[in-house]
């Protein structure tokens, strides 16, 4: 998802016997549905896993602005441009809510940003694909933000208070993103044959990467099982992916577009769609840094950070000067 | 970058007549920028009519381990609630 394959650093799921008295009390609170707050005692592995998960999620929001920024100056109308700007501004806001939540766990904002800029921190694989046409902006809102909503709604109930509260804010705003994307797709699908072909092309390119966002099957994963026990993961990757396919296929049908999967078929017995094999080699390759845009995304982020350094420094210099003046008075 | 910007806690009054409520936090070099940033981060959809920002370092919080000492004493004082006193049916306006 926005946070994919998060490591817990543990080799096996902790049983009661593995836990200290403090850990048992902590797990009991989680099992009782009590939220964990920043000043509460927590196991070090829980804290570290959450830092990884929340910061990865934050980085994804920030890097996620880049593929869309590519189309701000080329949006087809002033209205579409204003809407896209508002969406991108939301993504920045989502990143900030999440960085704040991560900071309550005792890491600093600058540490997190340094890790991103040094290429040490992960962000979602999905943002390493290019936005070649305007229809890609529609497909991203519809499919990528749509998938994000499916992942994030359960996280509103996760065990860590600041993360859950950030997710509630994010989810409220995310519906706008998904709808504006579908609105773009509708307009194109109802337009000229060329416009409809453009919409179909975007669906063809974004469908599989969107399914990959949920991450490989984690039925056997110790990390996922442990995260589930801690209630910072509420559904398996496969369950969430199935939910995405089931809700999106009818939306594609309404548009008159074809989902690019010859194996896609309604399964009456399961009450769900069966779908084809995902190319996990591609996913792992993108995670390793070899996706179409990994290098460009990181370069753009670093450049924005470095180009803004003089301005941040000036703000600090001004604040220091004012503080000195006040101290002297 | 020389030093990290301080952390500010943000409180928003959502409507006239309601109290300011904590909504989150952000980094800013000074109070003025904190207000500006809070507007952009926390009120993009008419969420507020007024913003307070307070340096996080200036907030003093109770500790979770003091929970019992602080809040337990009021548990036994149920008579502080009006429902503790049953009133006869026929008595009105109480």
């Amino acid at each position: 998802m926005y946070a994919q394959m998060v490591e817990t650093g543990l080799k096996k799921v902790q049983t009661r016997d593995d836990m200290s008295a403090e850990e048992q009390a902590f797990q009991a609170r989680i099992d009782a549905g009590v939220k964990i707050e920043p000043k509460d005692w927590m196991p070090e592995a829980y804290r570290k896993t959450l830092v990884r998960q929340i910061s990865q999620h934050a980085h994804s929001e920030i890097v996620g602005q880049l593929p869309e920024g590519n189309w701000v100056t080329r949006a087809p109308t002033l209205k579409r441009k204003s809407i896209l700007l508002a969406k991108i501004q939301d993504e920045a806001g989502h990143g900030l809510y999440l960085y704040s939540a991560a900071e309550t766990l005792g890491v600093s904002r600058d540490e997190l940003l340094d890790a991103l800029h040094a290429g040490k921190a992960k962000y979602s694989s999905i943002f390493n694909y290019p936005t070649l046409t305007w229809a890609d902006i529609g497909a991203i809102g519809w499919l990528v933000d749509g998938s994000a909503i499916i992942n994030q709604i359960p996280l509103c109930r996760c065990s860590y208070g600041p993360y859950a509260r950030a997710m509630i804010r994010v989810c409220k705003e995310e519906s706008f993103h998904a709808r504006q994307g579908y609105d773009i797709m509708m307009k194109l699908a109802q337009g000229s044959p060329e416009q409809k072909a453009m919409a179909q092309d975007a669906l063809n390119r974004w469908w599989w990467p969107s399914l990959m966002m949920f991450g490989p099957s984690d039925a056997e994963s110790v990390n996922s099982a442990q995260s589930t026990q801690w209630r910072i993961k509420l559904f398996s990757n496969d369950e969430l992916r199935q939910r995405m396919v089931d809700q999106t296929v009818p939306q594609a049908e309404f548009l008159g577009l074809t989902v690019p999967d010859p194996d896609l078929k309604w399964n009456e017995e399961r009450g769900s769609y069966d779908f084809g094999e995902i190319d996990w080699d591609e996913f792992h390759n993108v995670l390793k840094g070899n996706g179409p845009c990994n290098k460009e995304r990181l370069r753009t982020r670093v450049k924005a950070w470095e180009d803004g350094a003089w301005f941040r420094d000036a703000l600090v210099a001004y604040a220091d000067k004012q503080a000195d003046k006040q101290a002297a008075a | 970058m020389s030093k990290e910007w301080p952390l500010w806690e943000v409180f928003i009054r959502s409507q006239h007549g309601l109290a300011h409520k904590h909504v989150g936090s952000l980094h800013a070099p000074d109070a003025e920028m904190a207000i500006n940033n809070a507007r952009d981060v926390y009120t993009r959809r008419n969420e507020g009519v007024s913003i307070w920002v307070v340096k996080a370092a200036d907030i003093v919080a109770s500790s979770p381990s003091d929970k019992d000492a602080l809040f337990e004493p009021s548990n036994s004082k149920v008579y502080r609630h009006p429902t503790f006193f049953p009133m006869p049916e026929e008595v009105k306006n109480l």
Side-chain angles (χ1 to χ4, degrees):
Chain A
M1 206 49 238
Y2 275 23
Q4 292 158 333
M5 301 168 71
V6 180
E7 294 278 332
T8 58
L10 296 171
K11 296 274 175 282
K12 70 188 254 301
V13 178
Q14 300 295 290
T15 64
R16 241 185 111 72
D17 292 342
D18 300 323
M19 297 179 196
S20 66
E22 266 173 326
E23 285 171 326
Q24 286 179 9
F26 171 83
Q27 187 63 48
R29 290 186 67 192
I30 289 185
D31 294 342
V34 179
K35 292 262 186 284
I36 307 300
E37 294 297 339
K39 288 192 156 192
D40 294 337
W41 184 89
M42 61 185 84
E44 190 54 16
Y46 175 84
R47 192 187 70 80
K48 281 192 175 154
T49 305
L50 268 178
V51 169
R52 277 188 213 109
Q53 180 170 339
I54 300 174
S55 63
Q56 213 187 105
H57 196 156
H59 297 327
S60 298
E61 300 284 356
I62 298 300
V63 177
Q65 298 176 98
L66 302 177
E68 301 188 308
N70 185 26
W71 281 91
V72 170
T73 57
R74 293 179 288 161
T77 66
L78 187 56
K79 190 171 151 208
R80 294 278 183 202
K81 177 173 171 164
S82 307
I83 293 170
L84 183 57
L85 273 172
K87 178 184 190 288
I88 294 172
Q89 196 187 14
D90 275 355
E91 307 296 1
H94 296 178
L96 294 177
Y97 308 151
L98 286 158
Y99 283 130
S100 293
E103 281 175 276
T104 63
L105 294 158
V107 284
S108 80
R109 178 78 53 103
D110 286 2
E111 266 174 70
L112 298 175
L113 289 177
D114 285 348
L116 173 66
H117 295 153
K120 280 188 274 183
K122 283 194 277 184
Y123 57 86
S124 177
S125 56
I126 194 78
F127 301 117
N128 291 312
Y129 291 86
T131 41
L132 304 178
T133 73
W134 171 250
D136 289 16
I137 300 304
I140 287 178
W142 174 34
L143 302 173
V144 176
D145 290 276
S147 298
I149 293 172
I150 291 170
N151 176 58
Q152 287 164 351
I153 284 180
L155 287 175
C156 296
R157 294 182 282 118
C158 77
S159 64
Y160 190 56
Y163 192 28
R165 291 191 285 274
M167 282 296 104
I168 291 169
R169 293 191 69 89
V170 168
C171 285
K172 276 188 190 159
E173 299 176 352
E174 205 82 67
S175 306
F176 147 55
H177 300 179
R179 285 187 176 206
Q180 67 88 35
Y182 196 72
D183 185 64
I184 291 173
M185 295 303 275
M186 270 198 299
K187 201 76 183 168
L188 290 170
Q190 292 159 1
S192 66
E194 289 83 359
Q195 286 171 321
K196 189 169 179 182
M198 194 191 272
Q200 180 64 54
D201 168 62
L203 173 57
N204 291 349
R205 283 181 292 107
W206 288 93
W207 176 256
W208 291 107
S210 297
L211 294 195
M212 288 175 202
M213 273 175 76
F214 295 90
S217 174
D218 57 357
E220 307 291 320
S221 160
V222 170
N223 288 324
S224 292
Q226 181 61 56
S227 290
T228 303
Q229 185 165 305
W230 282 331
R231 283 185 69 82
I232 52 177
K233 183 176 178 74
L234 290 104
F235 293 95
S236 75
N237 293 349
D238 287 329
E239 281 172 297
L240 294 173
R241 182 168 21 248
Q242 183 71 58
R243 212 173 280 179
M244 188 275 190
V245 173
D246 289 345
Q247 77 174 44
T248 309
V249 171
Q251 295 167 355
E253 280 167 3
F254 179 86
L255 293 173
L257 300 179
T258 310
V259 173
D261 178 0
D263 297 323
L264 186 78
K265 201 164 153 265
W266 177 251
N267 183 325
E268 191 64 51
E269 212 173 295
R270 289 201 305 127
S272 273
Y273 285 92
D274 293 334
F275 53 94
E277 277 295 310
I278 293 169
D279 180 0
W280 291 112
D281 288 344
E282 176 182 324
F283 172 78
H284 289 294
N285 206 32
V286 173
L287 274 201
K288 262 186 244 150
N290 304 322
C293 300
N294 295 56
K295 291 190 180 63
E296 187 192 329
R297 296 287 182 249
L298 204 56
R299 205 185 310 129
T300 310
R301 253 324 299 165
V302 170
K303 185 176 183 314
W305 179 250
E306 287 174 354
D307 287 355
W310 70 271
F311 185 67
R312 293 193 303 275
D313 288 344
L315 288 174
V316 172
Y318 177 78
D320 286 348
K321 199 168 139 190
Q322 296 303 315
D324 287 349
K325 254 193 213 168
Q326 223 172 12
Chain B
M1 255 311 280
S2 37
K3 65 174 186 185
E4 190 148 315
W5 290 352
L7 187 69
W8 302 78
E9 297 298 332
V10 181
F11 300 80
I12 305 267
R13 184 199 294 286
S14 58
Q15 282 173 47
H16 290 293
L18 294 184
H20 285 76
K21 195 173 161 228
H22 182 245
V23 293
S25 56
L26 50 77
H27 287 272
D30 59 24
E32 190 188 346
M33 284 303 297
I35 294 268
N36 285 335
N37 291 352
R39 188 208 60 162
D40 287 343
V41 179
Y42 292 106
T43 65
R44 290 195 301 282
R45 288 173 175 78
N46 294 321
E47 286 96 336
V49 294
S50 162
I51 302 173
W52 287 351
V53 292
V54 183
K55 264 195 191 156
D58 291 339
I59 292 183
V60 182
S62 67
S63 151
S65 57
D66 293 342
K67 202 176 116 222
D68 288 348
L70 289 173
F71 308 115
E72 222 280 318
S74 74
N75 275 350
S76 56
K77 298 172 182 61
V78 280
Y79 43 80
R80 284 178 171 160
H81 297 280
T83 45
F84 178 76
F85 307 92
M87 287 290 130
E89 272 295 320
E90 45 293 16
V91 178
K92 302 294 175 202
N93 299 319
L94 258 174

